[in-house]
Amino acid sequence: MATAIPAPASATKNYMITQLDTVPAVPCPCGHSRRGFATPDNPLATIHLVDISIDARTHYHKRMTEIYLVLEGEGFMELDGERIPARPMMSIFIKPGCRHRLVGKFRIVNVAIPAFDPHDEWFD
């Protein structure tokens, strides 16, 4: 799934650009995600535009750190069983091993470091 706008074949660029609102949405434990820069040659980081559904599943990652930025919605962020009120412009730094989910309908930006790997999603 190539979500970055590629550089011309004859040139190597030191940057990538993605238009997140045009990236096809895929199902995820949180709802639906548009995953920018999710290309096989990019192991560093990805950025996701995520629409959180009310029934988001609690999950964790063994290697990946996530940074959430809430754009829209209000509800709660569950972090290792603790419920914290969440609202627009709140940002959450989620370390590997932290069980987490958003409770409520949200739209967020999620930065995944290293790049998102579907094999690093774990459920209890």
Side-chain angles (χ1 to χ4, degrees), residues 55-111:
D55 59 347
R57 289 181 64 192
T58 301
H59 64 285
Y60 66 99
H61 310 280
K62 292 182 179 179
R63 295 182 310 276
M64 188 172 60
T65 295
E66 292 181 292
I67 301 171
Y68 282 18
L69 172 62
V70 177
L71 300 176
E72 300 172 7
E74 291 193 19
F76 295 92
M77 182 77 205
E78 284 186 3
L79 300 161
D80 284 338
E82 184 178 353
R83 271 192 167 198
I84 299 163
R87 61 186 178 90
M89 299 317 298
M90 178 180 183
S91 189
I92 306 109
F93 188 97
I94 305 168
K95 296 179 182 180
C98 179
R99 276 115 175 116
H100 60 279
R101 75 178 184 141
L102 276 164
V103 179
K105 290 192 95 159
F106 289 90
R107 176 167 265 200
I108 69 165
V109 169
N110 175 8
V111 177

Side-chain angles (χ1 to χ4, degrees), residues 1-14:
M1 159 189 0
T3 58
I5 298 170
S10 62
T12 301
K13 302 277 185 177
N14 285 328

Side-chain angles (χ1 to χ4, degrees), residues 29-58:
C30 299
H32 287 87
S33 181
R34 298 172 186 274
R35 297 179 177 146
F37 309 122
T39 59
D41 61 338
N42 174 31
L44 298 176
T46 52
I47 188 166
H48 308 196
L49 179 61
V50 185
D51 290 306
I52 305 289
S53 57
I54 290 176
D55 59 347
R57 289 181 64 192
T58 301

